[in-house]
Amino acid sequence: MNLSKIIVTLIAFLVPLLMSMDATFRFDELAGIGLFIFFLLNFINDIGKSYNPLDILILIALLQCMLMPIVVFHVYNDNALIIALKYDMSVSADRYYGFMFPAILALIAGIKLPGLLQRSYQERIYQTIQRAKQHLQGKGNIGLLFIIVGFVAGFLTIFVPGDLGYVVYLFEKLLYVGVLYIYFSDYKSKKLYLGLAFFVIFSKSLFTGMFGELVYIMALGTMLVLLGKRIGTFLKYSIAFLGIVFVLLVQSVKSDYRDIVWKGAGEGGAGLYFSLLTNRITEPEQFFDWTSLFPIVNRANQGMIIGKVMDHVPARAPFAEGETIFTSLAASFVPRILWPDKPISGGKKNMERFTGFIIEGYSMNISPFGEAYGNFDVGGGIAFMFFYGLFFALIITLLLFIGKTRPTILLWLPILFLNAVQTETDVLMCVNSLLKGLMFVWFCYWAGDRFLRLKL
C-alpha cells in the first residue's frame, strides 16, 4: 500500500472516530461516512491514473442512500411539517440501516470483485486509451461526423415518438462520443468543434431544464479526458472542489429555473440561469441554513423513497418475489412491437406498487435498492445488490477485453454507463439502457465497417 492510500485510509478512519464523540451517531452511520470519505479521496487520487464509471455509482449510492438519510434522521425527521409533507424517512433508523448499510457493502463488493481478481486494471485502462489515441491519428473526421449526427438527432427527438424515439435518442448521444473522438485525435480545428459541441450540450440543458445528464456526462467524460495525464495533488483536489461546487449550484437553482420555464412564468435561457446562479453565489448563507438547505437535501435523499418502500412492503403490499426484476430483464431484449404492454421506465408503476404513491406530472422512482428490497426482502435484496454490482463490473471487464482490438470502445463508456451510475431510477432503466446501448455501439461499429469503410 503506497503512502497516499495509507493517508486516505487514516482520514477515513479518523473523521468518523472524532464524530463518534457525539453519542447520537450510530455505528452504521459513522461507517457510512467513513466509506464515503475513503472512496471519495481514492476517486480524487485516481484522477489521471485510472477510470472506472462504477466508482461514481459507489459515491452516489453512499451519498444519496447513506449520507443524506443521516442528515434527515438527525436534523429533519421529527419536524411536523416534514412529516406532513411525507419527506421523512418513514421507517426507523434500525430498520433502514439494517437493510441499506449491508446492501451498499454488497454493491461495492460486487463492483470491486472482478478488479481484485484481475492484474493491473489501471495499466490495462491506460494502455487501452493510448491505443485509442494511436488509432485516431488522422481520423478526427469520425468525431466530426458523430457530432453532426448527434446534433441532428437532438432536434428529431422532439418529433419522433415511442420506441423509434429511443433509437433517435441513442443517435443523439453520438454528440458526446464525437467530442471524445475529436479530443483524442489529432484534428487541427478540434478546439473549435469541442467548444461548439459543449455549447450545444449546455444549451439543450437550458432548453429542457434537465441538468442531470449534463452533470453525469461531464463527470464521466472529464475523468476519461484526464486519463494518462500527470496531475498534481493540488490540481486534483481543485478539480474535485470545483466539480462539487458546480453540482451544488446546479441543484440549488434547478428547481427555481424549472418553475419559471415550465410554468411559463418567464423566458428561460442562459441569462435567467446565470442570474439565478449569481444570486446563489452572492448569498452563500443559504448553504448554511438548514431551512434553505432542505430542498437540496431532499432532492438528493434517495433513502426517503427507499424508506417508503420498506414501510409499504410487506405491510400493505406483498413482496414481488423477483417479478419486476425478471420482467425488466425480459423487456431489455423483447421489442415493444412483439410485447405491446411491456413495462416502461419512469417509475410511475413502481412507485404505486411499492410505495402506494400515485405520481403525476413529475418523475420519481424507487431506485435499484428499493426494487431489490421490494422483490426479495432484506436478505435477498442484499444478495441481489451484490450481483447487480457484479453484472456492471463484468460488462466493463468484457469491454476492456474488446478494447484489445477495438480500443476506441473506451470512449463509449460515458454514454453506456450514463444511467447505470444513477441510483434514482430503477433496474429496468439501468440494465435496459446499458444493454440497448451495447447493441447500439455494436451497430455503429458494424455500420462503420460495412457501409462507410470507417474503422471506428
Side-chain angles (χ1 to χ4, degrees):
M1 183 180 290
N2 59 37
L3 181 60
S4 63
K5 296 288 186 182
I6 295 173
I7 294 174
V8 165
T9 304
L10 284 174
I11 295 173
F13 175 76
L14 289 175
V15 171
L17 184 63
L18 291 172
M19 294 180 67
S20 68
M21 296 174 67
D22 183 343
T24 61
F25 283 104
R26 300 163 50 93
F27 171 78
D28 36 31
E29 291 177 329
L30 294 170
I33 293 169
L35 281 173
F36 180 77
I37 293 172
F38 177 80
F39 282 103
L40 176 62
L41 296 182
N42 270 312
F43 179 79
I44 295 171
N45 286 334
D46 282 343
I47 293 176
K49 298 178 182 177
S50 186
Y51 179 78
N52 189 338
L54 300 180
D55 287 338
I56 296 180
L57 171 57
I58 292 173
L59 287 173
I60 292 173
L62 286 166
L63 174 67
Q64 296 186 333
C65 302
M66 284 298 293
L67 265 65
M68 291 301 104
I70 291 172
V71 174
V72 173
F73 271 123
H74 285 265
V75 179
Y76 303 106
N77 211 48
D78 296 328
N79 183 283
L81 179 60
I82 299 298
I83 295 173
L85 294 173
K86 300 187 184 301
Y87 289 147
D88 62 310
M89 292 298 296
S90 300
V91 293
S92 68
D94 281 340
R95 191 173 173 201
Y96 179 78
Y97 293 123
F99 168 68
M100 185 51 61
F101 182 61
I104 287 184
L105 290 179
L107 174 70
I108 293 171
I111 289 173
K112 293 300 182 181
L113 181 60
L116 294 174
L117 299 177
Q118 297 178 58
R119 293 183 178 180
S120 305
Y121 172 84
Q122 291 185 356
E123 186 175 343
R124 291 176 64 191
I125 287 283
Y126 178 76
Q127 290 174 349
T128 303
I129 202 66
Q130 293 305 313
R131 288 197 300 270
K133 289 179 181 179
Q134 295 173 4
H135 176 81
L136 290 174
Q137 296 304 299
K139 297 180 180 178
N141 58 317
I142 297 177
L144 180 58
L145 174 63
F146 281 167
I147 289 177
I148 293 172
V149 173
F151 180 76
V152 173
F155 283 104
L156 294 179
T157 54
I158 303 173
F159 307 103
V160 181
D163 279 2
L164 187 58
Y166 188 78
V167 174
V168 177
Y169 165 84
L170 289 173
F171 276 100
E172 181 192 11
K173 296 299 169 280
L174 288 177
L175 176 63
Y176 304 134
V177 181
V179 168
L180 293 173
Y181 266 69
I182 286 183
Y183 177 83
F184 286 107
S185 74
D186 56 349
Y187 204 65
K188 292 182 179 179
S189 303
K190 65 181 179 181
K191 290 184 179 180
L192 172 64
Y193 290 108
L194 290 175
L196 289 173
F198 179 79
F199 173 77
V200 170
I201 293 168
F202 188 71
S203 297
K204 182 191 173 186
S205 295
L206 289 176
F207 177 75
T208 61
M210 304 294 288
F211 298 94
E213 184 173 297
L214 173 67
V215 171
Y216 285 119
I217 280 291
M218 285 190 65
L220 291 166
T222 300
M223 295 301 298
L224 191 55
V225 164
L226 296 176
L227 184 60
K229 296 186 180 298
R230 292 183 177 275
I231 306 172
T233 301
F234 177 78
L235 181 57
K236 287 182 181 182
Y237 280 87
S238 297
I239 293 171
F241 175 76
L242 291 174
I244 292 171
V245 170
F246 173 76
V247 172
L248 284 175
L249 287 173
V250 167
Q251 287 293 331
S252 68
V253 304
K254 181 173 66 176
S255 181
D256 292 342
Y257 183 84
R258 286 178 178 177
D259 287 343
I260 294 172
V261 175
W262 290 1
K263 295 179 181 178
E267 185 177 349
L272 170 64
Y273 191 76
F274 286 113
S275 174
L276 292 172
L277 283 179
T278 301
N279 289 337
R280 288 293 186 274
I281 294 171
T282 55
E283 299 177 8
E285 65 274 6
Q286 295 186 44
F287 291 103
F288 302 96
D289 178 71
W290 286 115
T291 302
S292 301
L293 196 59
F294 178 72
I296 299 176
V297 172
N298 185 55
R299 280 194 294 271
N301 181 24
Q302 188 63 35
M304 180 264 290
I305 301 177
I306 297 170
K308 284 168 175 46
V309 174
M310 299 179 72
D311 179 58
H312 191 72
V313 180
R316 288 176 289 279
F319 290 106
E321 298 182 350
E323 178 189 336
T324 66
I325 304 293
F326 299 132
T327 301
S328 297
L329 294 175
S332 299
F333 293 98
V334 181
R336 191 167 297 278
I337 192 172
L338 299 177
W339 187 0
D341 59 344
K342 79 174 184 176
I344 60 175
S345 59
K348 182 177 180 179
K349 287 189 175 181
N350 276 339
M351 285 294 295
E352 183 175 358
R353 175 169 185 171
F354 291 108
T355 70
F357 287 87
I358 298 174
I359 60 173
E360 296 289 348
Y362 58 95
S363 178
M364 185 179 290
N365 215 323
I366 62 174
S367 86
F369 289 101
E371 194 167 0
Y373 171 83
N375 274 272
F376 305 116
D377 203 350
V378 173
I382 293 169
F384 174 80
M385 291 312 300
F386 169 79
F387 290 106
Y388 181 78
L390 182 62
F391 167 75
F392 290 124
L394 291 177
I395 292 293
I396 290 183
T397 301
L398 174 63
L399 292 175
L400 278 177
F401 178 77
I402 295 173
K404 292 180 179 179
T405 54
R406 296 278 194 172
T408 53
I409 193 70
L410 205 63
L411 308 186
W412 296 77
L413 260 60
I415 67 164
L416 285 173
F417 287 89
L418 177 60
N419 290 305
V421 299
Q422 301 181 40
T423 61
E424 62 266 33
T425 55
D426 57 19
V427 174
L428 174 61
M429 171 64 82
C430 296
V431 175
N432 185 52
S433 65
L434 177 59
L435 293 178
K436 286 185 176 178
L438 288 169
M439 289 187 280
F440 175 70
V441 173
W442 172 84
F443 168 78
C444 289
Y445 275 100
W446 174 79
D449 290 345
R450 184 72 179 271
F451 301 110
L452 302 178
R453 300 295 186 267
L454 293 174
K455 191 172 179 59
L456 302 182

